[in-house]
Amino acid sequence: MKYCFWVGGYANQNESGISKISYDPDNGFTKLEEYHGFLNPSFVKSHPWKKILYAVEETSPQGQVHTLHFSDGKLNKRDSVTSFGAAPCHLSISENGCFLYAANYSSGSLAAYELNRDGEIIHPSDFVQHSGTGFNPVRQEGPHVHFSAEKDGVLYVCDLGLDQIVLYKNQNGKLIKRGAVQMPAGSGPRHLAFSDHYPDRLYCTAELNSRAYVIQKMPDDNYRIIQEKSTLPEDFSGENTTAAIHLTADGRMLMVSNRGHDSIAVFKADHEGNISAPVFSACVAQPRDFMILGSNVIVGSQRDSCIHAYRLDEESMRLTDAGWTLHLPHPTSFELIV
């Protein structure tokens, strides 16, 4: 089976920061298309129903959000808007496909944009600015919004700087705060993963303490942490930060990327969604994002400017080298084309 996906990364204006790639497990990678023209498209997100790709321009003191269309077999930029903050690093789309959310890491804010029926940005609908500090005086000197995702009508927003997953409701484009999940001090919640197999569970990777958390949504709409697992071997003593967290399509395995240990930690999920102790597989240097394609796992090396393919063995939960590599500028995000 062949797969097709977009890759975004850190690049200058003359480099192909966005690439369209196909992957055949028997023949490796093929670059189908590339786009250049703006700085650091470090996160890309496609609209679920429209032929539109959104990309951040991760710059400071002001970032941008770009809208790109697929036409005549090419990717063409249609529009650009401000992200209203510094270093936008993540994009997500509302469940109804009517709103786009942009997370500004450095300034600790979230921008919401209303989309028209074609998926184009009409106008900003709301903006929220977080405030406060966290436990770590270097990394948590202020808010750092790193991720958002809407699930069952709740918008979950990870703030690494505040050790919080902040909860919002989108009411006609306005973001109404509904509470927060307080994470352990100094943990630095970065990204979340959800599974329809376990509707009362959410999974969080904490960047600063290299942990994976299982959080249960209670019947009264409160949340509690029910599991905490290290993403590192007990004998590892070096510096490490986690990056991406993803579940396999069947929900049976949870994976987290380690930057420093340079590995993928794989956890097995039981029938209730609770996770086991991890199994570790070495991978490319400074793995940021990765993508699970059936029994294939594609990992991006931000440091070495390449993507590399691995095979996942479900029994051992280990990754083995598939032997395929493609060089791209500092890859940091993947988006599957379906």
Side-chain angles (χ1 to χ4, degrees):
M1 181 176 180
K2 292 184 179 180
Y3 303 92
C4 195
F5 53 90
W6 296 104
V7 183
Y10 289 111
N12 62 42
Q13 292 179 330
N14 299 316
E15 293 179 307
S16 54
I18 300 175
S19 299
K20 184 180 181 180
I21 308 297
S22 72
Y23 177 68
D24 181 340
D26 295 323
N27 298 293
F29 298 106
T30 302
K31 184 183 289 188
L32 302 177
E33 187 180 343
E34 58 186 22
Y35 182 88
H36 59 83
F38 53 88
L39 290 171
N40 299 337
S42 62
F43 197 90
V44 293
K45 182 69 179 177
S46 59
H47 194 283
W49 312 303
K50 310 298 180 181
K51 292 184 177 181
I52 288 183
L53 185 72
Y54 309 98
V56 301
E57 182 167 357
E58 190 176 330
T59 53
S60 294
Q62 195 76 252
Q64 297 283 317
V65 177
H66 301 284
T67 305
L68 303 103
H69 280 237
F70 319 138
S71 59
D72 300 324
K74 296 290 184 180
L75 192 62
N76 301 291
K77 189 171 80 169
R78 176 65 65 87
D79 196 12
S80 301
V81 296
T82 177
S83 72
F84 298 99
C89 64
H90 188 272
L91 297 168
S92 67
I93 298 171
S94 63
E95 291 174 296
N96 62 11
C98 296
F99 294 92
L100 176 71
Y101 305 111
N104 294 301
Y105 176 79
S106 293
S107 54
S109 59
L110 184 77
Y113 308 85
E114 186 174 357
L115 306 176
N116 66 17
R117 63 172 58 187
D118 296 319
E120 297 173 334
I121 294 172
I122 303 173
H123 54 71
S125 70
D126 206 358
F127 172 82
V128 291
Q129 175 66 59
H130 290 182
S131 62
T133 59
F135 178 80
N136 186 320
V138 177
R139 294 295 310 277
Q140 297 179 307
E141 80 295 345
H144 292 301
V145 176
H146 217 312
F147 170 96
S148 72
E150 198 172 278
K151 179 70 171 175
D152 298 329
V154 179
L155 181 63
Y156 297 86
V157 179
C158 287
D159 194 316
L160 180 148
L162 303 184
D163 289 322
Q164 288 184 346
I165 303 168
V166 187
L167 313 176
Y168 293 94
K169 287 278 190 178
N170 184 329
Q171 296 185 356
N172 299 316
K174 300 302 179 183
L175 300 181
I176 310 301
K177 187 175 179 181
R178 295 301 191 192
V181 182
Q182 187 64 49
M183 300 298 289
S187 59
R190 178 185 171 98
H191 278 200
L192 301 177
F194 305 89
S195 173
D196 292 335
H197 298 277
Y198 320 113
D200 66 339
R201 300 284 197 272
L202 53 148
Y203 302 87
C204 177
T205 181
E207 176 175 334
L208 302 184
N209 70 356
S210 298
R211 296 285 192 276
Y213 292 92
V214 182
I215 302 167
Q216 183 178 22
K217 183 178 181 180
M218 308 301 290
D220 59 359
D221 287 337
N222 286 317
Y223 297 79
R224 65 171 184 171
I225 296 171
I226 59 173
Q227 278 189 294
E228 174 184 349
K229 300 281 187 181
S230 175
T231 67
L232 296 169
E234 292 183 1
D235 59 355
F236 180 76
S237 59
E239 294 185 2
N240 186 79
T241 55
T242 64
I245 182 168
H246 298 295
L247 282 153
T248 54
D250 60 10
R252 294 174 57 191
M253 281 180 277
L254 179 76
M255 302 185 192
V256 178
S257 55
N258 285 307
R259 298 171 295 178
H261 187 246
D262 292 345
S263 65
I264 303 294
V266 182
F267 305 81
K268 184 169 287 187
D270 65 19
H271 67 282
E272 293 182 340
N274 300 321
I275 58 174
S276 67
V279 172
F280 308 99
S281 293
C283 67
V284 292
Q286 201 177 355
R288 184 148 160 180
D289 201 8
F290 61 93
M291 184 170 46
I292 306 168
L293 305 173
S295 60
N296 307 279
V297 181
I298 312 300
V299 186
S301 171
Q302 183 177 340
R303 192 195 73 182
D304 292 343
S305 291
C306 69
I307 60 175
H308 196 87
Y310 298 87
R311 294 190 178 94
L312 171 64
D313 182 88
E314 291 189 8
E315 292 301 319
S316 67
M317 303 193 314
R318 295 189 182 279
L319 305 181
T320 57
D321 192 339
W324 305 113
T325 299
L326 180 67
H327 288 277
L328 299 169
H330 308 291
T332 53
S333 71
F334 293 97
E335 179 73 349
L336 183 65
I337 300 172
V338 295

